[in-house]
Amino acid sequence: MIEMRDSLSKKLTAMNMLVSGVALLLAAIAVFSYDVITFRRNIAINTSLQAQIIGSNAVSPLIFNDVASAENTLSAMRVSKHIIYAGIYDTQGQFFAGYWRTGTGIPLALPAGSVGQPEFSWFEDGQFALVQMIYFDQKPAAIVYIRSDLGNLNERLKGYAVILLIILGASLAAALAVSRLSQRAISQPILKLADMAGQVSREKDYSLRALAPRDNDEVAVLVKAFNQMLREIQERDSALQESERQFRNLADSIPQLAWMAEPNGDLFWYNRRWYEFTGTTPEQMAGWGWKAVHDPELLPDVLAKWHFSLSTGQPFEMIFPLRAEDGEYRQFLTLATPVRDANGKIVRWFGTNTDITEQRRSEEALRQTEKLAATGRLAASIAHEINNPLEAVTNLVYLAQKQPANVHKYLKLADQELSRIAQITKNTLGFYRDSAALSDANISEILEEVLGLYARKLNFKNIDVTAEYGDGITITGYPGEIRQIVANLIANAIEALPANGRLAIRVSKVVPVSPLERRGVRITFLDYGSGIPPEQRKKIFEPFYTTKKTVGTGLGLWLTLGLVQKHQGSLRLRSSVQPGNTWTAFSVFLPDRPE
Amino acid sequence: MTLEPQAVSNPALPLLVDPNWIPKEPRHNPDDRDRTDQEKKLRIIVVDDESLIAETVAEILNGAGFEATAVFDGAAAIELAKTWQPQVVLSDVIMPGLNGVETGIKIREMIPRCEIVLFSGQAATVDLLEQARKQNHRFQILAKPISPERLISIIRASTEKPQ
């Protein structure tokens, strides 16, 4: 602050003095120049006058060759201290008489070219020289040569320099005083403004305002601009505080636990629900205190993933348990995303923990329910398959009783129908095999049996089925579940197809062409139904999504996907809704053997 | 390889209706005798895509004193009904081509007094009946398997109603 004050006043003072000094010097140079010119002109006039007087008085001594008289006349020059030499010459330039300030000397020769000129003058070596032709009765009678020094001029210059020095001193002193005053008028408001800025930044109080000076100069403009800036900062600050308050309200009202972390991973804020759930205090949780509410066995995994996200900037996603206040662990889906500034630099992390314990339980319950529902639907379908041959058997037995003669024929037919029933129950049993243990699953056989089960439905809609299912393609898996997968996809295709539709099924072996792929089998179900619009394709695997409200629960594909994933396989959907070329293909990949 | 939808019954089934066969049991119900003349006149069309079922049912009904004819799809039933004017049509519901409900509606339009009885082995029937109900068509429905005695008594009961 002191330094700045010195510097500012120094600058002002130096500037004032420089201006005064330069102005003064320019004025002095002008005066000197004028004086020198005037002085020289006066010397020329005076010398010429003296030359005329001497010349007039020298004409007769020259005529009468009276040197003494001429020298006497010349001796009057003694009065003029500056005359160094005066000489009288005849019209031919021959020396006649002379005067020397020192008393004696040698006569000076007239400079070449000056003889015959009426007047010839020049400055030389700080001296003024004049050669003057003297006329008598309009005729040249004599030549006078005078040299005079400029001592007078130099004295005057010295006098002026002394005066200049005195004025310079005085004006510099005045400038110093003026700068003191201007410091008060100019630098003082600026210094006040600087003090105010310092106070604002120290106290973070943006309601302060600088006092505007009374005049309307640049400093006042500066102060106004500064105050305007403060006002805007204050507005932005309060808007920021409001948005911060809203954010905290929001963060406190969401059902998730939420938190924020520094780019280095230090957690500096948690929402209220976090503290309520964990029963901890902000002091316990600061920095890396959150480790205390994790399962110690799983913590290393969590830390490894968190450090990975911190170092790469990749969003964090993980499911892990957190300990509640009562000591019970609950499962949380944790997501954290980096918040970046305009330059893409991470300024903080924002994370949420969503309690998925209930969701997991209800998903499991849903899976069980759907399994039961699927079983129910299957039971109904099987009942139908069995009811028809049963009807035939009932009738045949009745007829056999009525017509003893034809007993053999009726019983033979009844036996055929009973074999049909046996085949149906045998196929059906496949669904209820123990699914806990891996065993050989003959895909070709499973497909054949499931198609057999749906034969009546396919026949009813007159669906043309083309199936290429190879011969005994076998993988290791859970046959009951593979049967369920196949049955669900065929049932969907039948639902999707209109009467007289076409369904193509193909089973092919998958031979890996890169180390990322696995050996296995691919089963493709292609129906030429109306196709699935793109916007439905993703949702179709979500639970409770159905386009056929009266027929399905919307769980079939979700359950099918779950079964495929249990086999570490994949389920792919492609479909076309191009008019005239609509179809849907579900393609199941199952690895040779789940790991 | 093309998969033929499994044939659900043997199409080359021998004709089960023995033209010489006449029911021999005495009728124990004294009321039966009163109705015999009337019953013999009752013409019944039995429709089922499973020919074994259609034929055995027709045979049972013929044995019970009705005049029953088996056909294997809805279109054939409608065609026969035009000329034969049956009093009862007993039809399976789920069949390729015209289903039992559609067949019943068509025949009822032609012969309003004809009694339509449906019999079905599966739950999907409910939807079809619901559709029919919305068009103001109500049908009697029987679940497969049904015992022949019960079938006979139901048909008798339905034709006893004042027509």
Side-chain angles (χ1 to χ4, degrees), chain A residues 65-359:
Chain A
N65 204 15
D66 184 356
V67 174
S69 172
E71 281 178 347
N72 191 37
T73 305
L74 283 171
S75 66
M77 289 288 136
R78 237 175 286 274
V79 185
S80 295
K81 283 182 188 166
H82 299 291
I83 304 290
I84 299 166
Y85 167 79
I88 298 169
Y89 300 75
D90 65 15
T91 51
Q92 304 307 305
Q94 279 296 310
F95 180 78
F96 175 69
Y99 159 79
W100 292 266
R101 194 166 62 189
T102 49
T104 57
I106 49 159
L108 298 178
L110 290 175
S114 64
V115 179
Q117 299 279 337
E119 189 176 313
F120 189 82
S121 66
W122 71 98
F123 286 91
E124 183 192 282
D125 301 333
Q127 294 179 356
F128 177 72
L130 174 75
V131 176
Q132 177 98 43
M133 183 71 82
I134 306 297
Y135 294 88
F136 185 74
D137 283 348
Q138 315 291 316
K139 287 176 201 151
I143 294 171
V144 176
Y145 179 12
I146 296 176
R147 288 186 78 99
S148 151
D149 70 16
L150 300 174
N152 199 9
L153 177 65
N154 289 339
E155 269 167 31
R156 285 168 79 105
L157 285 177
K158 273 177 197 157
Y160 278 135
V162 170
I163 292 164
L164 181 66
L165 275 174
I166 291 163
I167 292 173
L168 203 61
S171 56
L172 288 183
L176 205 65
V178 167
S179 80
R180 283 271 157 81
L181 287 172
S182 65
Q183 182 182 319
R184 193 163 296 166
I186 296 169
S187 70
Q188 209 60 22
I190 294 176
L191 290 173
K192 273 188 192 164
L193 193 63
D195 282 342
M196 176 61 67
Q199 193 184 351
V200 167
S201 73
R202 262 196 319 277
E203 297 172 10
K204 307 272 176 237
D205 180 358
Y206 298 104
S207 65
L208 293 172
R209 294 287 179 272
L211 203 64
R214 263 160 301 170
D215 13 338
N216 223 0
D217 60 5
E218 286 85 343
V219 177
V221 172
L222 180 65
V223 169
K224 272 181 200 160
F226 181 74
N227 283 343
Q228 177 65 24
M229 193 179 74
L230 278 179
R231 195 160 23 248
E232 276 168 22
I233 291 176
Q234 190 185 12
E235 277 163 19
R236 196 175 306 174
D237 199 44
S238 69
L240 204 64
Q241 278 173 7
E242 176 59 18
S243 113
E244 174 90 0
R245 196 182 60 78
Q246 281 177 359
F247 167 73
R248 297 212 174 196
N249 278 349
L250 179 71
D252 281 338
S253 63
I254 57 172
Q256 280 93 349
L257 316 184
W259 44 268
M260 283 190 274
E262 302 284 3
N264 67 6
D266 280 354
L267 271 78
F268 63 90
W269 174 85
Y270 293 90
N271 69 346
R272 201 168 53 215
R273 239 169 253 274
W274 173 279
Y275 296 115
E276 283 170 3
F277 173 77
T278 57
T280 56
T281 64
E283 292 71 36
Q284 291 170 325
M285 285 295 112
W288 295 72
W290 52 268
K291 292 195 279 190
V293 298
H294 276 254
D295 182 340
E297 266 186 42
L298 300 173
L299 186 58
D301 274 359
V302 177
L303 283 171
K305 272 204 157 187
W306 179 225
H307 281 298
F308 176 77
S309 282
L310 287 176
S311 57
T312 59
Q314 279 188 24
F316 176 90
E317 180 178 344
M318 193 176 181
I319 293 174
F320 51 65
L322 290 176
R323 197 177 58 236
E325 190 173 10
D326 59 10
E328 186 205 353
Y329 280 100
R330 290 180 75 85
Q331 290 292 333
F332 283 88
L333 167 65
T334 299
L335 300 169
T337 46
V339 179
R340 294 170 190 273
D341 65 12
N343 301 320
K345 190 171 162 269
I346 295 175
V347 288
R348 73 168 70 114
W349 287 79
F350 182 75
T352 56
N353 312 85
T354 308
D355 190 340
I356 55 165
T357 314
E358 291 309 320
Q359 189 192 335

